[in-house]
Amino acid sequence: MEQLFYLSDLFGVAVFAVTGALMAGRKSMDLFGVLVIAIVTALGGGTLRDVILDNHPVSWIRDDTYILVASLAAVGTVIWVRLTQPIHEKGLLIADAFGLALFTVYGTEVALRHSVPMSTAVIMGAITGVAGGVMRDVICNEIPLIFKKEVYATACIAGSLVFIGLIQLATPHWVATGIAMLVVLLTRLAAIHWHLSLPRFHLLDRD
Amino acid sequence: MEQLFYLSDLFGVAVFAVTGALMAGRKSMDLFGVLVIAIVTALGGGTLRDVILDNHPVSWIRDDTYILVASLAAVGTVIWVRLTQPIHEKGLLIADAFGLALFTVYGTEVALRHSVPMSTAVIMGAITGVAGGVMRDVICNEIPLIFKKEVYATACIAGSLVFIGLIQLATPHWVATGIAMLVVLLTRLAAIHWHLSLPRFHLLDRD
Amino acid sequence: MEQLFYLSDLFGVAVFAVTGALMAGRKSMDLFGVLVIAIVTALGGGTLRDVILDNHPVSWIRDDTYILVASLAAVGTVIWVRLTQPIHEKGLLIADAFGLALFTVYGTEVALRHSVPMSTAVIMGAITGVAGGVMRDVICNEIPLIFKKEVYATACIAGSLVFIGLIQLATPHWVATGIAMLVVLLTRLAAIHWHLSLPRFHLLDRD
């Protein structure tokens, strides 16, 4: 079980690293830039969570598998695209949704182990799931996609709330994890499929 | 006294959350984006201060009133604007100046409790007062306002210096707090009223 | 020796502060903005490294010489430019390469003292060397230069690897430091002189 969790965590790292590498490619960065953006996207959210929670050592500080997996995913992406294989957008979005589901539930769980209030645990789940992508977009000089796209962080807040609720109802740990991950995954896939969006808040600039 | 301090801290959080929500509206973000930008603006400065000072747990980690107040302020802003009530710019600027005064003095005090050198305490006051706004602007892809606007961080550095000076002269704590807050507030209000600015540093781009 | 190290560290701080002040000038910031960007550029990388490594207190928290040196360098830059002395670009690039060499080796060493895996130590060297510049560019709303320019972070990764290798071969500390710094310095100077770049990763935007 622990082993399975570790492997899916690495899978999430790989997926987010690919999205980082693709964004770096859209900005015509050099190979080092691709590597950095991939690593920041994959590990940034978890690092921010651990630093704010004072949860040391940060995962990739003690175990260099994380950096290795993120780097390999980035290099693999560049090679794949160079061989003119188009990126399968839909497949990437589904993988990304899986990574989001995993990171969100994992982040919420880490926060709960520090016995923080519920709202803090939800925020920590969201930070783990989305902050890496926000850092990617900020460094690449874009308004973060998650604020503009279909229901994204909402999926992750929903999953986080479901996880906390199930744990408090004394649901077995692996059941709560599974259901909460499904909630994130299905919400996100539904949002992609039917292009669901939250209402926008428009404000004219009167400065 | 402690109670009064806590309440004014929450007032500062609410005010900064409103400025975050308004900026998010100017960028036509969705409702979740509004919430995130509001929370980052309201709590980002204090979080950065605590993480750098190793002052754990961070305030909103242990007490979820902070997140709640920031969220309510953001939702309230959206509803208020939707009901086509225009935002009273002057009122907002004055409230913002009050929040700045409070956060600056509070941040300086937290730093002094860690017995850091004086210049560090001043920087910590400034980080607490302005870093949330800088994060708001960076995420929204704007050059941070505080570097372009009227005397802003200068007001906060002045207040921080006055606070440290009064404490070293053994002034009663609440007197020092009151005077330092007044310094920030009046400097900032004077800057708004007479459009005071620091001189600019222009450098032609020769790249 | 310890003294020499401290002095070169401060020299690195001064050099990076100058690059920050110049960037702030290109964005026509006010004098306070110049100061902040200079301080962030000079101390941001080391602060990020220490916060992620849980290496407290952060250097400039306990010793206010760092802030003082960065501030003086920023003010000096403004005065120098105002007196219409043109900035000697080549001299600045060489000084910057020296600062990079020093910060990289210093950051790697701090990480090794925390007995982290090798890849983590390399990343920490790179963070110390380049993160301040990345923060400068992100706050100033630019795509970070290091991702677009000639071999930059690559120089710093090479130096970090050489340092780790020499230390593991039980080379005397000061020899390892000297050689690793030379590697960074010479790689970077060669890159500037012959305009060496890593290949770019171009990806057409198909959204």
Side-chain angles (χ1 to χ4, degrees):
Chain A
M1 179 69 196
E2 195 68 24
Q3 193 68 13
L4 185 72
F5 211 72
Y6 182 62
L7 286 178
S8 355
D9 198 14
L10 290 179
F11 177 75
V13 166
V15 167
F16 279 121
V18 171
T19 71
L22 290 176
M23 169 64 87
R26 279 176 189 156
K27 296 281 170 176
S28 305
M29 290 192 177
D30 67 25
L31 292 183
F32 174 78
V34 172
L35 217 57
V36 171
I37 302 293
I39 291 177
V40 168
T41 310
L43 302 176
T47 304
L48 184 58
R49 175 202 64 221
D50 288 344
V51 164
I52 294 180
L53 273 180
D54 198 25
N55 180 34
H56 293 282
V58 173
S59 59
W60 57 271
I61 293 286
R62 53 181 153 72
D63 175 4
D64 54 5
T65 317
Y66 290 93
I67 302 271
L68 191 73
V69 166
S71 305
L72 287 180
V75 171
T77 306
V78 173
I79 293 174
W80 180 269
V81 169
R82 278 281 159 88
L83 299 175
T84 63
Q85 305 284 355
I87 293 285
H88 193 281
E89 291 274 350
K90 205 82 178 203
L92 186 66
L93 279 175
I94 293 169
D96 176 89
F98 189 83
L100 182 71
L102 191 101
F103 275 20
T104 300
V105 175
Y106 184 64
T108 309
E109 203 214 3
V110 170
L112 287 181
R113 267 191 263 136
H114 280 73
S115 45
V116 298
M118 202 193 82
S119 74
T120 306
V122 174
I123 302 262
M124 285 298 158
I127 286 180
T128 312
V130 309
V134 171
M135 291 177 198
R136 174 196 63 208
D137 296 343
V138 164
I139 294 181
C140 292
N141 208 6
E142 299 272 334
I143 290 193
L145 259 182
I146 66 148
F147 299 139
K148 296 250 165 188
K149 257 203 329 210
E150 312 94 353
V151 171
Y152 190 99
T154 314
C156 122
I157 288 177
S160 193
L161 285 173
V162 165
F163 181 74
I164 295 174
L166 291 175
I167 289 293
Q168 288 193 328
L169 294 172
T171 317
H173 196 272
W174 66 273
V175 176
T177 303
I179 294 179
M181 280 187 61
L182 268 182
V183 168
V184 181
L185 201 59
L186 296 180
T187 312
R188 183 72 189 115
L189 293 183
I192 294 170
H193 193 71
W194 290 291
H195 296 286
L196 306 178
S197 293
L198 285 182
R200 294 278 155 77
F201 174 43
H202 287 289
L203 189 63
L204 293 181
D205 206 328
R206 286 169 307 185
D207 280 351
Chain B
M1 180 67 198
E2 195 67 25
Q3 193 68 12
L4 185 70
F5 211 72
Y6 182 62
L7 287 178
S8 352
D9 199 14
L10 291 179
F11 178 75
V13 167
V15 168
F16 279 121
V18 171
T19 72
L22 290 176
M23 169 63 87
R26 277 175 191 157
K27 296 282 171 176
S28 304
M29 290 191 177
D30 67 24
L31 292 183
F32 174 78
V34 172
L35 216 57
V36 172
I37 302 293
I39 291 176
V40 168
T41 310
L43 302 176
T47 304
L48 183 58
R49 176 202 63 222
D50 287 343
V51 163
I52 294 179
L53 273 180
D54 198 25
N55 180 34
H56 292 282
V58 173
S59 59
W60 56 271
I61 294 285
R62 55 181 153 72
D63 175 3
D64 54 6
T65 317
Y66 289 91
I67 302 269
L68 190 73
V69 166
S71 305
L72 287 179
V75 171
T77 306
V78 173
I79 293 174
W80 181 268
V81 169
R82 278 281 158 88
L83 299 175
T84 64
Q85 304 284 357
I87 293 285
H88 192 282
E89 292 274 351
K90 206 79 179 207
L92 186 65
L93 279 174
I94 292 170
D96 176 89
F98 189 83
L100 181 71
L102 191 101
F103 275 20
T104 300
V105 174
Y106 184 64
T108 308
E109 203 215 2
V110 170
L112 286 182
R113 269 191 262 134
H114 280 73
S115 45
V116 299
M118 201 191 83
S119 75
T120 306
V122 173
I123 302 262
M124 286 298 158
I127 286 179
T128 312
V130 309
V134 171
M135 292 177 199
R136 175 197 62 207
D137 296 343
V138 164
I139 294 181
C140 292
N141 208 6
E142 298 272 335
I143 291 193
L145 260 181
I146 66 147
F147 299 141
K148 298 251 164 187
K149 256 198 337 204
E150 311 94 354
V151 172
Y152 191 99
T154 314
C156 121
I157 288 178
S160 193
L161 286 172
V162 166
F163 181 74
I164 295 174
L166 290 175
I167 289 293
Q168 288 193 328
L169 294 173
T171 316
H173 197 273
W174 66 273
V175 176
T177 303
I179 294 180
M181 281 187 60
L182 267 182
V183 168
V184 181
L185 201 60
L186 295 181
T187 312
R188 182 72 189 116
L189 293 182
I192 294 170
H193 192 73
W194 289 291
H195 298 283
L196 306 179
S197 294
L198 284 183
R200 293 279 154 76
F201 175 42
H202 288 288
L203 189 63
L204 293 182
D205 207 329
R206 286 168 306 184
D207 280 348
Chain C
M1 181 69 198
E2 194 67 24
Q3 193 69 11
L4 185 71
F5 211 72
Y6 182 63
L7 286 178
S8 354
D9 198 16
L10 290 179
F11 178 75
V13 166
V15 168
F16 279 121
V18 170
T19 72
L22 289 176
M23 169 64 86
R26 279 176 189 156
K27 297 281 170 176
S28 305
M29 290 191 178
D30 67 24
L31 292 183
F32 174 78
V34 172
L35 217 58
V36 172
I37 302 294
I39 291 177
V40 168
T41 310
L43 302 176
T47 304
L48 184 57
R49 176 201 62 222
D50 288 343
V51 163
I52 294 180
L53 274 180
D54 199 25
N55 181 35
H56 292 283
V58 173
S59 58
W60 57 270
I61 293 285
R62 56 181 152 72
D63 175 4
D64 55 4
T65 317
Y66 290 91
I67 302 269
L68 190 73
V69 167
S71 305
L72 287 179
V75 171
T77 307
V78 173
I79 293 174
W80 180 269
V81 170
R82 277 281 160 87
L83 299 175
T84 66
Q85 304 284 355
I87 293 286
H88 192 281
E89 292 274 350
K90 206 80 179 204
L92 186 66
L93 279 174
I94 293 170
D96 176 89
F98 189 83
L100 182 72
L102 191 102
F103 275 20
T104 300
V105 174
Y106 185 64
T108 309
E109 203 215 3
V110 170
L112 287 181
R113 266 191 265 136
H114 280 73
S115 46
V116 298
M118 202 192 84
S119 74
T120 306
V122 174
I123 301 262
M124 286 298 158
I127 286 180
T128 312
V130 309
V134 171
M135 291 178 200
R136 173 196 64 209
D137 296 342
V138 164
I139 295 181
C140 292
N141 208 7
E142 298 272 336
I143 290 192
L145 259 181
I146 67 148
F147 299 140
K148 297 252 167 187
K149 254 197 341 203
E150 312 94 352
V151 173
Y152 191 98
T154 315
C156 123
I157 287 177
S160 194
L161 285 172
V162 165
F163 182 74
I164 294 173
L166 290 175
I167 289 293
Q168 288 192 329
L169 294 172
T171 316
H173 196 272
W174 66 273
V175 176
T177 304
I179 295 180
M181 280 188 58
L182 268 182
V183 168
V184 181
L185 201 60
L186 296 181
T187 312
R188 183 72 189 115
L189 292 183
I192 294 169
H193 193 72
W194 290 291
H195 297 285
L196 306 179
S197 292
L198 284 182
R200 293 278 154 76
F201 175 42
H202 286 291
L203 189 64
L204 293 182
D205 206 328
R206 287 169 305 184
D207 279 350

